[in-house]
């Protein structure tokens, strides 16, 4: 009986850092309005946090994730949100481990930095650091 060749290679997933941004609105917004506000941050996956059992329920907050392309453009968007619709924003480059099957495990933040809402320019997008603007 011949055995199939075995491989010592182990398929592993991917590790890296993605932008992880949580925005809490000053007041809950209708779904369409929340999406319009968040559209200013182009290229990210958007998850609206609203009640699933009530279609059309207002959206109190949202999460955006994905690769960070232009830090300066994102700082401009954050400043606009914090002068308008956002009560608080939590943003940073969050470490992750993604398995070969697509399962994502988020690595704990290494450090939190709390800043006044007017200090968006101090957000440096350091890997593993979460900035809280309130």
């Amino acid at each position: 009986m011949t055995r199939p060749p075995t491989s010592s290679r182990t398929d592993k997933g991917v590790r890296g850092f993605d932008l992880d941004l949580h925005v809490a609105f000053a007041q809950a917004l209708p779904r369409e309005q929340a999406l319009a506000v968040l559209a200013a941050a182009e290229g990210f996956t958007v998850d609206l946090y609203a009640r699933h059992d009530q279609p059309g329920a207002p959206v109190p907050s949202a999460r955006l994730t994905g690769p960070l392309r232009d830090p300066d453009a994102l700082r401009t968007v954050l400043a606009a949100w914090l002068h308008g619709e956002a009560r608080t924003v939590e943003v940073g480059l969050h470490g992750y481990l993604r398995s070969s099957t697509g399962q994502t495990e988020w690595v704990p933040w290494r450090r939190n930095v709390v800043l006044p809402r007017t200090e968006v320019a101090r957000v440096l997008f350091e890997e593993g650091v979460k900035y809280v603007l309130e």
Side-chain angles (χ1 to χ4, degrees):
M1 176 173 158
T2 60
R3 297 178 135 190
T6 60
S7 172
S8 61
R9 183 175 153 240
T10 302
D11 288 326
K12 294 185 179 181
V14 177
R15 69 177 69 200
F17 291 88
D18 264 347
L19 181 85
D20 191 1
L21 189 156
H22 292 256
V23 57
F25 298 115
Q27 61 183 10
L29 300 174
R31 179 181 173 82
E32 296 76 24
Q33 186 178 354
L35 289 171
V37 167
L38 299 172
E42 297 178 32
F44 297 107
T45 300
V46 175
D47 293 309
L48 299 177
Y49 294 146
R51 293 186 56 121
H52 295 290
D53 60 345
Q54 295 179 358
V59 177
S61 61
R63 180 181 189 196
L64 290 81
T65 56
L68 176 63
R69 292 177 186 88
D70 186 345
D72 290 329
L74 186 56
R75 282 187 201 94
T76 300
V77 169
L78 296 176
W81 286 346
L82 289 163
H83 282 96
E85 297 87 355
R87 180 174 40 87
T88 62
V89 171
E90 297 178 9
V91 61
L93 293 178
H94 205 170
Y96 66 85
L97 302 170
R98 192 165 293 130
S99 72
S100 58
T101 60
Q103 178 78 20
T104 299
E105 295 291 331
W106 293 98
V107 177
W109 294 103
R110 289 188 323 209
R111 186 167 56 106
N112 294 330
V113 177
V114 179
L115 298 171
R117 60 191 305 112
T118 57
E119 302 283 329
V120 175
R122 292 180 47 199
V123 175
L124 302 178
F125 298 108
E126 299 169 87
E127 293 178 347
V129 178
K130 177 173 65 173
Y131 294 86
V132 180
L133 297 150
E134 52 185 18

